[in-house]
Amino acid sequence: MPLGVFISDIKLLMLPLSWGTLFFEALFPFLYWSKGFRRWLLFLGLWFHLGILVFMNVPNFTFASLALYPLLLYPTEYDALVEQWKRLWQRQRPVAV
């Protein structure tokens, strides 16, 4: 059962979460074009969609939304992210058994 079922009666929690969702979705298209906000918006969007998975248990929507996030990156941002992942991956050492 999704976690949202258990917290749906807590108005002090649900009201700010509902309004926060509306503001985030309404402002996202406008703030995305600001380079200073873009990374934060994508980071918040990542957690927003993971929250949908946890609270509402809609896995197909969450995975489809997250799969489209790389399309929101500019080519230079995407390349920098790939390079950062490569460096992190290369630093990982195999565990001795």
Side-chain angles (χ1 to χ4, degrees), residues 2-68:
L3 185 60
V5 171
F6 299 110
I7 64 169
S8 62
D9 292 333
I10 305 171
K11 289 190 182 208
L12 284 174
L13 182 63
M14 294 308 294
L15 215 55
L17 286 176
S18 299
W19 280 104
T21 299
L22 291 174
F23 282 123
F24 178 77
E25 290 182 351
L27 293 174
F28 186 93
F30 302 106
L31 293 177
Y32 170 77
W33 297 108
S34 170
K35 192 171 184 175
F37 285 111
R38 187 176 309 119
R39 286 187 180 176
W40 288 106
L41 284 174
L42 294 177
F43 181 73
L44 287 174
L46 170 85
W47 287 104
F48 174 77
H49 286 102
L50 289 173
I52 289 174
L53 177 65
V54 170
F55 288 105
M56 301 174 83
N57 194 20
V58 189
N60 291 339
F61 171 76
T62 299
F63 299 137
S65 298
L66 294 177
L68 294 173

Side-chain angles (χ1 to χ4, degrees), residues 77-91:
E77 293 171 330
Y78 180 79
D79 292 339
L81 186 62
V82 168
E83 286 301 316
Q84 186 177 9
W85 283 344
K86 283 181 183 178
R87 282 192 306 259
L88 287 172
W89 184 257
Q90 288 172 353
R91 275 198 264 170

